[in-house]
């Protein structure tokens, strides 16, 4: 009986160490990867400020890989909510489509407090979104502006087919320049999804160019190396986020 009591504390210590190592392995800390924020914690200012734009991209690549493999982090959203009450320190601002199949935070395996998010059909920019991006980067310190299009985009298909419906007509007109700019030798119609996807990629590239052209604030930050403005495409078939 005395021997059992003497070994019990040591046994608890071993079990605790095993639990800690397991948690570190899940969060990526044990492997010294870029996914160093615990799944139970929100992004801190110190962690965010140490990251470069390229490290943010690498972090998102890793998160998307976990999503594709079904090995996403076990986010404690309540803990992240509590820890981010006093302030937020996102690493990126993401402009993506409203498509219900393409939620950027889930596709990149990001938690509460890690990303600013804007969504609009066809992932196009306007003054309000540009102003939001300027706040995210120049004021709040985000390191990356990420424009995310996706395959089989209904907004792009609607622009190709000249769809008209109330205010949607004006929105789709902003996608149409991508149609003319897309080099494609096959059938150029909305029922050809290879063409739709090619136009969607061109539309992302145009949006990235427009952000630089229409926001002197963001262009200056990028020129200084403080941020990057990049495009990406989410592939519904397979779940890969392709960085352009």
């Amino acid at each position: 009986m005395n021997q059992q009591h003497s070994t019990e504390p040591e046994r608890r210590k071993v079990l605790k160490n095993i639990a800690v190592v397991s948690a570190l392995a899940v969060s990526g800390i044990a492997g010294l990867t870029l996914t160093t924020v615990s799944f139970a914690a929100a992004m801190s200012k110190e962690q965010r400020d140490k990251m470069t734009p390229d490290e943010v991209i690498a972090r998102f690549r890793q998160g998307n890989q976990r999503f594709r493999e079904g090995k996403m982090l076990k986010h404690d959203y309540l803990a992240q909510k509590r820890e981010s009450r006093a302030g937020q320190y996102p690493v990126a601002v993401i402009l993506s489509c409203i498509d219900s199949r393409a939620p950027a935070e889930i596709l990149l395996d990001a938690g509460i407090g890690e990303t600013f998010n804007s969504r609009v059909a066809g992932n196009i920019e306007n003054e309000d979104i540009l102003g939001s991006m300027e706040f995210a980067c120049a004021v709040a310190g985000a390191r990356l502006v990420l424009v995310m299009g996706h395959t089989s985009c209904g907004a792009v298909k609607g622009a190709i087919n000249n769809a008209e419906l109330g205010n949607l007509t004006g929105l789709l007109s902003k996608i149409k320049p991508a149609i003319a700019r897309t080099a494609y030798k096959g059938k150029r119609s909305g029922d050809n999804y290879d063409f739709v996807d090619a136009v969607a990629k061109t539309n992302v590239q145009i949006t990235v160019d427009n952000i630089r052209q229409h926001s002197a604030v963001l262009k200056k930050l990028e020129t200084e190396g403080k941020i990057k403005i990049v495009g990406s495409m989410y592939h519904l078939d397979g779940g890969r986020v392709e960085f352009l």
Side-chain angles (χ1 to χ4, degrees):
M1 179 66 74
N2 291 338
Q3 183 180 8
Q4 181 178 356
H5 279 302
S6 63
T7 59
E8 187 63 22
E10 186 64 27
R11 177 177 175 273
R12 287 199 299 266
K13 181 178 179 181
V14 170
L15 291 175
K16 181 179 180 181
N17 288 339
I18 291 173
V20 170
V21 170
S22 298
L24 291 176
V26 170
S27 64
I29 296 175
L32 295 180
T33 66
L34 289 174
T35 54
T36 55
V37 177
S38 167
F39 56 76
M43 178 71 70
S44 72
K45 186 177 188 302
E46 181 182 11
Q47 289 165 329
R48 194 276 311 281
D49 289 350
K50 288 181 178 179
M51 298 184 74
T52 67
D54 285 335
E55 286 174 335
V56 176
I57 294 172
R59 177 185 180 84
F60 285 163
R61 288 184 189 275
Q62 291 181 344
N64 179 242
Q65 184 68 28
R66 292 194 301 271
F67 168 77
R68 291 164 62 194
E69 295 176 352
K71 299 178 180 178
M72 300 171 74
L73 300 180
K74 297 179 181 178
H75 295 278
D76 186 338
Y77 292 116
L78 292 180
Q80 292 172 355
K81 175 185 71 68
R82 289 192 296 269
E83 292 189 16
S84 60
R85 280 181 302 186
Q88 58 172 339
Y89 309 103
V91 295
V93 54
I94 303 172
L95 170 59
S96 60
C97 184
I98 64 167
D99 194 292
S100 64
R101 301 165 294 177
E105 307 98 308
I106 295 176
L107 308 179
L108 300 174
D109 195 17
I112 292 175
E114 291 191 46
T115 60
F116 289 108
N117 297 278
S118 297
R119 300 186 70 173
V120 61
N123 40 269
I124 57 173
E125 95 295 341
N126 59 32
E127 289 184 358
D128 298 326
I129 289 174
L130 288 174
S132 299
M133 289 178 171
E134 290 169 354
F135 165 79
C137 295
V139 179
R143 296 289 189 253
L144 182 73
V145 175
L146 179 63
V147 179
M148 183 183 294
H150 67 93
T151 57
S152 302
C153 181
V156 171
K157 178 178 180 179
I160 295 171
N161 289 340
N162 295 309
E164 295 185 358
L165 176 66
N167 292 302
L168 179 62
T169 305
L171 186 155
L172 297 182
S173 69
K174 297 178 181 179
I175 300 174
K176 289 187 176 181
I179 302 172
R181 277 221 219 152
T182 299
Y184 188 81
K185 294 182 179 179
K187 184 180 179 183
R188 299 174 65 91
S189 69
D191 59 359
N192 178 4
Y193 275 97
D194 285 340
F195 179 57
V196 172
D197 294 349
V199 174
K201 181 178 286 190
T202 303
N203 184 53
V204 167
Q205 294 167 337
I206 289 176
T207 299
V208 168
D209 292 341
N210 286 345
I211 291 170
R212 293 191 180 107
Q213 180 180 348
H214 298 145
S215 174
V217 172
L218 296 174
K219 184 177 180 180
K220 182 174 184 291
L221 288 173
E222 186 176 42
T223 300
E224 294 171 346
K226 295 178 179 178
I227 69 168
K228 276 193 173 182
I229 306 171
V230 301
S232 63
M233 282 287 292
Y234 170 59
H235 295 262
L236 293 178
D237 184 8
R240 179 170 67 98
V241 174
E242 172 191 4
F243 288 83
L244 307 177

